[in-house]
Amino acid sequence: MVEAELLAQTIQGKGWGNRFFLAAPYEEKLKGKLDSLKEVRAKLGLEAAWASVEKLDQVLELLQSSRPEAIIGKHNVPEVDPLFGGREEILERMYDALVGGCRDQAAGARTIVCLWGIRGIGKTQLARKYCHANLSRYGRVLWIDVQGKGAQEGYADLGGDVLGLTRAPGEQLGEYVKRVRLTVQNLTEPFLVVFDGANGEAVKELQELLPGEGQACHVLVTTTDDWALRQHGAMPLAVESLGQNEARALLKKGLNFEKEVLIGETSKKLNELAKRLGYLTIALAGAVPLLIERRKEGDPVGLLLAELEGLDGVEPANTLFELSLHSLGHSITGEGGSPDVVCSFATSIAMVAGWFGEGPVSTELLLKASKRYHDAVHGDADVSLWENGALTRKALLRVGHYLPAQLAAGSGTPTQDDTTPHEGRPTLTFHVLFLEYVRRQEGGDTARAATLATVADMDCDAGTVQQFKGVWDVVVVVLGALDLSDLEKVREIGSEYETYLRTNGGDYKTAKAVLESGLEILGTGPRGWRWRLDLADALDSLGVYNRAVEIVEAVVKELERRDAPPPPVKRVRKNSCKWWLPCFSGQGETPDLEADDKHDAVVFQGGADLANTSLDLAGAWNVQASIYNRQGRRAEALLLYEQSLRVKEKAVDPDHLDVAATLNDMAGVLVKQGRLGEALPLYQRALSIFEKAQGPDHPSVATTLNNMAGLLYCQGKYDDALPMYQRSLRIDEKALGPEHPDVAASLNNIAILLTNQGKHEEALPMYQRSLRIEEKALGPKHPHVATTLHNMASLLNDQGRYEEALPLYERALAIEEKALGSEHPEVATTLNNMGSVLFNQGRYEEAVPLYKRALEIRKKALGLEHPDTTTSRSNLEDAERKLAAVRTDQGMGSSVREDIAESNTSNSGAHENVVSQELTLNDL
């Protein structure tokens, strides 16, 4: 019983020496020994055998808990194609690489195997077969459909499929993926994770999702290129085409000839067919339904070979796709008396599928596009038959039978009107090679038009965004070949997609990539200005101000030329301009235009001057004003907002949402200028419009509340500001999710308020969370990241934690200089506050040049009499006096240094910027 003792120790041990990899193969042997011992004990009554019986019972109980039927709920591996067989050699190599490889590593090591080869060669089926054959060796088996759903979405599916997690309403994908990953990291039993179809850019995402190197796990990746994963220690295994015997076995299995001995011509023909199909798994599997269909003719293999001979020069997989499509549309179904209708429906589904791109597609959406295609091709046909659920179900099953497509039956109950691929509803997933093939077929243009029209009619939301992504990824590469009608549909789809990414997903980087990819084609023509304006808006959000300004100014000029020319206007230099905004009448003050010799201000002589201005131009002015405001060009921004407001109030209802948005943005500029009394009525009017039109829990309400709270903060009304900030935060977290940039803005502002109330320990975690959100959503070099870094540094400086504050200021400075330019006032603010940290440390020689540079920037940008300029001048003079004193008194002893330190403490307040922490005011 030494063997049983060793196995029991193995099972109860840790690391890779455990039941899943070593003990399971001995189960049958142990059962035999246990039965023998029980029989001996029963016959002879030997009590000595009792301990051994107990030990064996324990071992078997542990083993049985690892059987496939016991852990069926612990995996989400799709079933293996019934036709898939053979490949024993590569399966053994996979086993040796994973299980054998881990024996050579330290306990708790991660092993990665990369299964690579050309598409259609059987990598996915091999991975599935390995998983099902070895379920008993793992605590859990996690399957991630990277090719179909993307790395992030596929990984997120593990939560509900295997790990028992539920994605909360409004929870952002990235945050949910973090929770899933944390759960995977905390798995105590060894597990297998499979990333299926990780190709191209998906490999980079995959690298962030790999389990930790110290985890007891196996990782299997299927891909067309293993090179990127080798740097992570992946062991490459190449998958070659099937051998002749394996290919023939697959065909025999499909024809139910497995038990028959094929000789003579039949065997030769099977070998020739396998060769003609390139021994590719996808081509061979596709041949089976065609062979079955031809069995009644007596020589199915010969007939299929003859048909293939007429298609010389076509790649093996494409050859089968062509024959499969033909069979799909012409074979007899034999049921229901409507075979032609079912075949026609099935062909229509196949044709539009190519334009939905990779991944699962809602069957409701496919049927809607197919109906459009069918109507365009068979205009005189009775399209009402598409409402017959029995016929469409038969058509879908037929597609799954003849084509390389997987029909997934969802758990939901779709309604007749459903057109969105919500979770749980039936989907079809096609092989990527077929999608590429069908897009090149005759009728592909009609299928494309039907698909584009269908998706253009949809709203992009959390349930449909993947369908928008799939269609966009396919059509963007053929934009130059599209006619005007299709281009307009693509424009609608792209605009809807990128708007969702920016406004709901907070994914500005992907939105920018979408807009950039379509810019050359969709950014031209009569409506191209709108695409370019959206790109300028996205660039503004990402802090790429110079290019954003260039684009928006060109758009504004184009719209000005397009619209009826306004009456003559008087152009004057800004530094001599005197003007009055009607919306500020009665406030007792006028805006103070910053001096800037590079820009002229346009002064309109009364409201009639804008009579011919379109809402398009007013919208472009809003985007231009937003960018100018971020650049510090406040007066120009305010003038543009005022012009836009006058146009909108005249063209639409004064309580229109567009009017409210402009009021909010105008008020933000006034707050930046310190004109708080003028800003508050604008915020109040905007808030009233938003709450009336959209309800009290809309993100627009949250934005306005956030901005009003910022104004109250500037007035020192902290107790009034905090509840507004908190309400704004609650609305955004619920409506947009906890990882949205607007949430980061609210956190940043609450932290500033808490800091000024002396609640530093409460403020710092809010800054840290805000920073994490911004870095992820906007990128680590966005100006908003610089703002939060600056604010955190100011808090640490206030606490005397100078060594921690200085690196944050330095990083903020680097971001600001790149995004805003080296002469921007924000750069001067950071330079000034960096100087304050050094001053407070007694490092006067290092502080002086920073103060000097800050002063020069402020003199040029703000003028000699601006309060911030006065602060910089005072700080520089003070630092120069301290430096001179130190140099004069060097060697006088510690008492001088103590006096200097005391002086630093008492005067440190003079070395803070007028606003050392910057509030975030959000545009709409």
Side-chain angles (χ1 to χ4, degrees), residues 311-552:
L311 301 171
D312 279 342
V314 182
E315 292 295 322
N318 290 347
T319 301
L320 258 296
F321 295 154
E322 182 173 345
L323 289 178
S324 297
L325 274 177
H326 178 81
S327 297
L328 189 71
H330 294 84
S331 297
I332 301 301
T333 61
E335 286 189 47
S338 304
D340 293 339
V341 172
V342 172
C343 293
S344 181
F345 285 4
T347 301
S348 298
I349 293 169
M351 290 300 295
V352 299
W355 296 101
F356 281 99
E358 298 180 31
V361 183
S362 159
T363 54
E364 290 85 7
L365 188 57
L366 271 173
L367 289 172
K368 196 167 187 177
S370 303
K371 182 179 177 181
R372 269 195 166 101
Y373 171 81
H374 191 272
D375 191 24
V377 175
H378 311 284
D380 56 347
D382 185 2
V383 295
S384 64
L385 290 173
W386 283 89
E387 306 301 326
N388 187 319
L391 292 179
T392 54
R393 278 194 294 273
K394 287 180 181 179
L396 289 168
L397 291 172
R398 188 169 185 77
V399 169
H401 175 70
Y402 279 100
L403 300 178
Q406 181 179 359
L407 180 61
S411 57
T413 305
T415 66
Q416 187 175 11
D417 296 330
D418 272 332
T419 58
T420 55
H422 296 293
E423 184 177 355
R425 298 205 171 111
T427 61
L428 262 175
T429 305
F430 291 83
H431 195 283
V432 63
L433 289 179
F434 175 76
L435 297 177
E436 293 175 356
Y437 168 80
V438 77
R439 288 196 292 268
R440 298 193 297 267
Q441 301 312 298
E442 183 179 354
D445 291 351
T446 305
R448 181 185 62 229
T451 303
L452 293 177
T454 301
V455 178
D457 285 347
M458 297 165 52
D459 292 328
C460 188
D461 55 34
T464 63
V465 64
Q466 288 303 312
Q467 311 287 238
F468 275 83
K469 178 183 183 302
V471 172
W472 176 261
D473 288 345
V474 169
V475 298
V476 71
V477 298
V478 296
L479 285 179
L482 302 185
D483 59 27
L484 289 178
S485 176
D486 279 358
L487 277 178
E488 287 308 307
K489 296 299 183 184
V490 173
R491 194 191 308 275
E492 293 176 35
I493 292 168
S495 180
E496 183 82 12
Y497 177 37
E498 69 84 17
T499 299
Y500 172 81
L501 291 171
R502 281 192 291 138
T503 59
N504 295 87
D507 189 353
Y508 300 104
K509 290 180 286 187
T510 303
K512 172 182 172 291
V514 169
L515 290 163
E516 293 275 23
S517 62
L519 180 62
E520 184 178 353
I521 304 296
L522 300 177
T524 59
R527 294 186 60 193
W529 64 268
R530 193 178 299 277
W531 192 267
R532 285 177 281 131
L533 191 65
D534 287 342
L535 176 58
D537 205 3
L539 291 167
D540 176 33
S541 298
L542 288 167
V544 189
Y545 300 133
N546 290 337
R547 185 159 177 244
V549 166
E550 179 184 339
I551 293 173
V552 76

Side-chain angles (χ1 to χ4, degrees), residues 183-417:
T183 304
V184 172
Q185 289 172 342
N186 289 327
L187 291 176
T188 56
E189 293 181 323
F191 62 92
L192 168 66
V193 58
V194 182
F195 294 92
D196 182 42
N199 304 311
E201 292 297 316
V203 175
K204 296 179 181 178
E205 294 184 72
L206 179 151
Q207 293 170 12
E208 299 177 359
L209 300 173
L210 289 173
E213 292 184 11
Q215 280 197 270
C217 66
H218 290 163
V219 180
L220 181 60
V221 183
T222 68
T223 181
T224 56
D225 182 8
D226 66 309
W227 186 254
L229 290 167
R230 292 195 186 195
Q231 61 181 309
H232 293 278
M235 183 184 304
L237 285 181
V239 181
E240 307 292 345
S241 300
L242 290 172
Q244 185 183 76
N245 292 338
E246 290 178 313
R248 185 173 57 194
L250 188 154
L251 294 172
K252 288 177 62 178
K253 185 176 182 180
L255 286 166
N256 291 322
F257 286 170
E258 290 178 280
K259 297 181 180 180
E260 299 180 29
V261 178
L262 300 181
I263 58 174
E265 284 300 310
T266 303
S267 181
K268 288 181 180 180
K269 287 178 181 178
L270 274 179
N271 289 341
E272 179 60 28
L273 179 59
K275 180 180 178 181
R276 183 72 177 82
L277 297 176
Y279 303 108
L280 284 176
T281 303
I282 187 173
L284 293 162
V288 169
L290 303 180
L291 289 170
I292 292 174
E293 188 177 62
R294 288 157 177 77
R295 285 188 68 170
K296 60 185 179 182
E297 303 295 333
D299 183 14
V301 182
L303 283 172
L304 189 56
L305 272 172
E307 293 178 55
L308 290 172
E309 288 300 322
L311 301 171
D312 279 342
V314 182
E315 292 295 322
N318 290 347
T319 301
L320 258 296
F321 295 154
E322 182 173 345
L323 289 178
S324 297
L325 274 177
H326 178 81
S327 297
L328 189 71
H330 294 84
S331 297
I332 301 301
T333 61
E335 286 189 47
S338 304
D340 293 339
V341 172
V342 172
C343 293
S344 181
F345 285 4
T347 301
S348 298
I349 293 169
M351 290 300 295
V352 299
W355 296 101
F356 281 99
E358 298 180 31
V361 183
S362 159
T363 54
E364 290 85 7
L365 188 57
L366 271 173
L367 289 172
K368 196 167 187 177
S370 303
K371 182 179 177 181
R372 269 195 166 101
Y373 171 81
H374 191 272
D375 191 24
V377 175
H378 311 284
D380 56 347
D382 185 2
V383 295
S384 64
L385 290 173
W386 283 89
E387 306 301 326
N388 187 319
L391 292 179
T392 54
R393 278 194 294 273
K394 287 180 181 179
L396 289 168
L397 291 172
R398 188 169 185 77
V399 169
H401 175 70
Y402 279 100
L403 300 178
Q406 181 179 359
L407 180 61
S411 57
T413 305
T415 66
Q416 187 175 11
D417 296 330

Side-chain angles (χ1 to χ4, degrees), residues 675-696:
R675 299 162 61 184
L676 307 181
E678 299 171 46
L680 184 58
L682 303 187
Y683 278 141
Q684 290 171 334
R685 182 182 164 196
L687 181 64
S688 175
I689 295 173
F690 284 134
E691 287 186 321
K692 182 179 178 180
Q694 298 176 311

